[in-house]
Amino acid sequence: MIHAPHQPAIEKRVVIIGGGLAGLSAAAALSARGLQVTLLEMRRRVGGRAASFEDPLSGGLVDACQHVAMGCCTNFLDLMKQSGLENDFYRDRTMVFIGPNGVRSICSTQPWLPAPLHLLPMLWGLGHLSMFQRAAVVWGMLRLAWLRPSRLSDAKTTGKWLASIGQPAEAIRLFWQPVMESALGESIDLVDLAAARKVVVDGFFGNRHASDLVIPKKSLGEIFGVGLCDWLIGRGVHVRTSVTVSKIECNETGPKISLGTGEIISADSVVVAVPWKRAVSLVGDLLPPFPLLPQGSAADQEACLSGSPITAVHLWFDRPFLDVPHAVLVGQVSQWVFRPEYASEVDSKQHSGYCQVVISASRNVLAIGREQLLEKILEELQTFWPKAASANLVDWRIVTDPTAVLSVRPGVDRIRPTSVTKNSAVHLAGDWTATGWPSTMEGAVLSGRIAADGVLAQCGEGAPTTRVPDLPRSLLATCIAGRRALN
Ligand SMILES: Cc1cc2nc3c(=O)[nH]c(=O)nc-3n(C[C@H](O)[C@H](O)[C@H](O)COP(=O)(O)OP(=O)(O)OC[C@H]3O[C@@H](n4cnc5c(N)ncnc54)[C@H](O)[C@@H]3O)c2cc1C
């Protein structure tokens, strides 16, 4: 499938391989500077892991897994603004936590308080924790923010560190675990302490808008697969979908990109914006050596590139029963329940009660088996929403991505490659590269912009950078957490 491009302004040809958010963001940054950009994506639609599938019942689009960004995701939000898609998201400062005993806490941050004090009303509202546990959580956040990056030991996981500073086991289980697993997509027992500190400092602590939830109002397929794609085409990007790159060869005339069809495309620069295993198979000889954790390996302390699974359980009921747009179920198998806003468009009379349950770091859950997992989820939903018991389940689907996000284990930041490769015409992007961010939409967009900066430098187009800075830290947050490291 070929989408017609506009006339380019500068005769430098850049080929971007991979139409996930990293590739799309690189395409946006480079087309803005007038380069001739071709984007090659092997799937039918761009968007990569931030994708949707066709609802089997209505034919509308349903996200393979609900995605949520945060106010701190400055590059992602900037791209959405540039492309006119920011109104496809809404901001929510309120989170609903439902404790194991059914206690429902509706907690909001207060944007009129300076950061990090804006968090106190939210933390104090966590009714499923005792007063002592809430105080311990506030203290734990302060301790984590106080830790200077140079003192973050490589070998320590967040779970071990929290236990070592005396966080009560229940505070870890009922607060730290759900928060970190949702933010980082990895178990607290495996996750690097530096990544946890980033979540606390940049995601909550530093700025009163950092922790705002930014939630899509439409399906990701519509936003990225159609909206962002059409916007790029309108800016002259040549988007080709359903084409697989099989080989990249570099010689003195520049990179040659071979497609599965036998076609060969020449370019001045290439941005390889595919997942790490694909990048190794395409340009492995140009990358620094980094260990890959074999799928299913039990190693838990090695610094290696490996994925962490996320499972989404899609449930089509014949009537709605969720009385909130989203809720965190603490201490349950179901971690986060969503009733997406776009679901009302997808709904039909037979299944007006679509909802989605998201389970991050779902390794243990996968061992349960699909039918048993469904049973467990239904039981949990019926416990907290008794009306679910009288709703009929019309259809269900369990979607697991075994390598949904990069597993941010201790030491992994030392081996995440930068965008630079051994060939100055070949640049790397993707949420798994060294961005300083975990695998997120922000990490992916930032990586695309870093790679775009590299391409521009290679073309002699240099500054200014295509990146935007992080949210500024408040004075109080700076006193506690220190100044932001310059990236
Ligand atoms: C289940 C799940 C839940 C998530 N939840 C969130 C969330 O709530 N918030 C958040 O911020 N992030 C979330 N993420 C992470 C986010 O989706 C990713 O970080 C981001 O989309 C990665 O973008 P990318 O461009 O780096 O990689 P990808 O999206 O993987 O894009 C790579 C692209 O390259 C293409 N490709 C691969 N090989 C070739 C080839 N040979 N030729 C041509 N094309 C090729 C692929 O088809 C793909 O489209 C989630 C991810 C998953 C899977």
Side-chain angles (χ1 to χ4, degrees), residues 17-23 40-43 47-50 65-68 243-245 273-275 278 282 310 401 404-405 430-431 439-441 444:
I17 303 165
L21 280 168
L40 306 172
E41 165 56 45
M42 63 186 234
R43 295 195 203 158
R49 272 170 279 158
C65 184
Q66 173 76 44
H67 276 52
V68 174
V243 285
T244 304
V245 171
V274 298
R278 298 258 179 177
L282 288 175
I310 300 181
D401 187 331
V405 290
D431 63 347
S439 271
T440 49
M441 296 188 284

Side-chain angles (χ1 to χ4, degrees), residues 8 19 26 48 51 56 61 101 106 117 168 200 241 265 322 338 371 394-395 406 469:
L61 288 178
N101 46 6
I106 301 174
L117 300 178
V200 164
T241 52
I265 304 176
L322 274 185
F338 291 91
E371 262 77 19
V394 182
D395 203 352
L406 180 71

Side-chain angles (χ1 to χ4, degrees), residues 365-429:
V365 167
L366 295 178
I368 301 178
R370 301 170 72 77
E371 262 77 19
Q372 287 94 321
L373 176 59
L374 175 69
E375 233 170 78
K376 181 75 191 148
I377 300 286
L378 292 178
E379 183 194 309
E380 290 178 354
L381 291 178
Q382 287 166 12
T383 304
F384 301 114
W385 287 276
K387 282 186 182 164
S390 50
N392 295 314
L393 186 65
V394 182
D395 203 352
W396 59 280
R397 188 183 281 199
I398 297 179
V399 180
T400 297
D401 187 331
T403 50
V405 290
L406 180 71
S407 173
V408 276
R409 294 162 192 241
V412 79
D413 274 340
R414 272 190 282 110
I415 58 164
R416 285 168 85 176
T418 65
S419 67
V420 178
T421 71
K422 289 179 193 159
N423 187 310
S424 61
V426 179
H427 307 263
L428 214 53

Side-chain angles (χ1 to χ4, degrees), residues 94-108:
T94 301
M95 289 182 75
V96 178
F97 290 87
I98 301 181
N101 46 6
V103 168
R104 192 183 274 218
S105 317
I106 301 174
C107 309
S108 302

